[in-house]
Amino acid sequence: MQALTPHVYWAQRHGEIYLRVEISDGQSLSIGVEENILHFKGQGHGAKGENEYEFSLEFLKPVKPEVKHKSTQRQVNITVKKQEHVWWNRLTKQEKKPLFLAPDFDRWLDESDAEMELREKEEKINKINIESRVRKDPFLGLKKGFLFMYNLVQFLGYSWIFVNMTVRLFILGQDSFYDTFHTIADVMYFCQMLAIMEVINPAVGLVKTGVMPAFIQVMGRNFILFVIFGTLEEMQNKPVVFFVFYLWSMIEIFRYPFYMLACIDTEWKLLTWLRYTIWIPLYPLGVLSEAVAVIQSIPIFDETKLLNIPLPKAIGTSLSFSYILQLYLVIMFFGLFINFRHLFKQRSRRFRTKKRKAN
């Protein structure tokens, strides 16, 4: 029986040659490389039925003698490694392509695509190597659980404040402005005392954010809540309390659920956009309302002499706390600049990263 020539399809990468021989149920296969020539011989069902098939290919450049092959019910797959990782212009040494040879378009890549595939493989291997070298934190689950619960509690607290104030505003109208403190203060005290954790968490490495921006925001709010509103009964009935509490809660009902979902590696795109966008108008308005509260409290502190600082008799009787409040106003707007800059950097970094991933 005269041996026939099968159909052969080929493709390449920088380091390998792939051949697909159209013989099903291949048997008695003899495949090897001698003097840079691939010799194939075997029996199976090909284009002309059950026959013996063979062919030879002299490669364009040197290859390694080891040949890998696998026979399936449909074809014989052959892999040959190149001596050098270079791209070949053609497969065979002879310029004219053999009639039985054709490109394997299922695996075909041009040189640029192959380089991209190679880089992706290398990046994946490097990522796996880096991840294997990084020591896993045994307390990671516990830390995420703690942060999830913290953000959940804060979200529930500020949601209660926001909903309560909104409902009262619709029912009572402007009258709700004057008893906001007596209605909301207990929950606000709880949330703001708990917010001290936002300074502790980055300080001990639980979260990767700056300590100073969190310190400025938390301490600034607590100063307004505990010193301005908490110590002066005259301030507790003023409408400014409503605006301060409402603006605080409006920011936090988007911020805390975002962090809560981040603890479980979940993202909601609309919530992400709101978390990094809604503070742009609300944060300056919140600082402005806090400044109004400080300005309104200055004459009250002057009149009551509350929290005045005693001075030596040679200098004077005492230093009015109102001077400290005036200094605090300057610090407040300086802190606004620092936090605004920090938040804008966070926002641009976040959306720049998302855009890069999308591309």
Side-chain angles (χ1 to χ4, degrees), residues 273-291:
W273 184 86
L274 288 170
R275 182 265 176 271
Y276 284 101
T277 305
I278 202 166
W279 63 266
I280 296 174
L282 295 183
Y283 183 56
L285 288 174
V287 173
L288 183 61
S289 64
E290 292 172 25

Side-chain angles (χ1 to χ4, degrees), residues 257-274:
F258 170 81
Y259 289 137
M260 186 174 67
L261 293 178
C263 293
I264 55 175
D265 300 320
T266 303
E267 182 179 3
W268 183 27
K269 291 182 179 180
L270 176 60
L271 181 61
T272 301
W273 184 86
L274 288 170

Side-chain angles (χ1 to χ4, degrees), residues 76-89:
V76 178
N77 296 313
I78 303 172
T79 303
V80 182
K81 291 187 177 294
K82 299 176 181 178
Q83 288 282 10
E84 297 180 2
H85 282 65
V86 293
W87 196 257
W88 294 1
N89 295 327

Side-chain angles (χ1 to χ4, degrees), residues 212-280:
M212 188 53 64
F215 178 83
I216 292 171
Q217 180 172 321
V218 172
M219 293 302 111
R221 283 189 180 183
N222 283 347
F223 180 83
I224 298 296
L225 178 61
F226 290 96
V227 178
I228 303 299
F229 297 153
T231 60
L232 298 177
E233 291 186 11
E234 295 89 337
M235 289 295 301
Q236 294 171 7
N237 297 322
K238 291 184 178 292
V240 70
V241 178
F242 174 88
F243 294 102
V244 170
F245 284 6
Y246 204 66
L247 288 166
W248 286 357
S249 62
M250 199 181 299
I251 292 173
E252 304 304 14
I253 60 174
F254 298 111
R255 189 168 70 97
Y256 284 117
F258 170 81
Y259 289 137
M260 186 174 67
L261 293 178
C263 293
I264 55 175
D265 300 320
T266 303
E267 182 179 3
W268 183 27
K269 291 182 179 180
L270 176 60
L271 181 61
T272 301
W273 184 86
L274 288 170
R275 182 265 176 271
Y276 284 101
T277 305
I278 202 166
W279 63 266
I280 296 174

Side-chain angles (χ1 to χ4, degrees), residues 146 150-151 153-155 158 187-202 207 209-211 213-222 225-226 248 252 255-256:
F146 166 76
Y150 166 77
N151 288 296
V153 170
Q154 289 286 60
F155 170 62
Y158 278 106
V187 180
M188 186 63 79
Y189 276 142
F190 172 78
C191 290
Q192 280 305 127
M193 289 176 66
L194 193 61
I196 295 174
M197 292 303 303
E198 295 184 28
V199 181
I200 298 174
N201 288 341
V207 294
T209 56
V211 176
F215 178 83
I216 292 171
Q217 180 172 321
V218 172
M219 293 302 111
R221 283 189 180 183
N222 283 347
L225 178 61
F226 290 96
W248 286 357
E252 304 304 14
R255 189 168 70 97
Y256 284 117

Side-chain angles (χ1 to χ4, degrees), residues 163-179:
V163 172
N164 189 295
M165 294 179 69
T166 303
V167 171
R168 286 173 56 80
L169 179 63
F170 276 104
I171 295 174
L172 303 175
Q174 292 185 4
D175 291 339
S176 66
F177 292 174
Y178 302 99
D179 63 349

Side-chain angles (χ1 to χ4, degrees), residues 212-213 216 283 333-343:
M212 188 53 64
I216 292 171
Y283 183 56
F333 287 100
F334 180 68
L336 171 65
F337 170 75
I338 293 176
N339 260 358
F340 224 84
R341 185 179 175 187
H342 171 73
L343 291 170

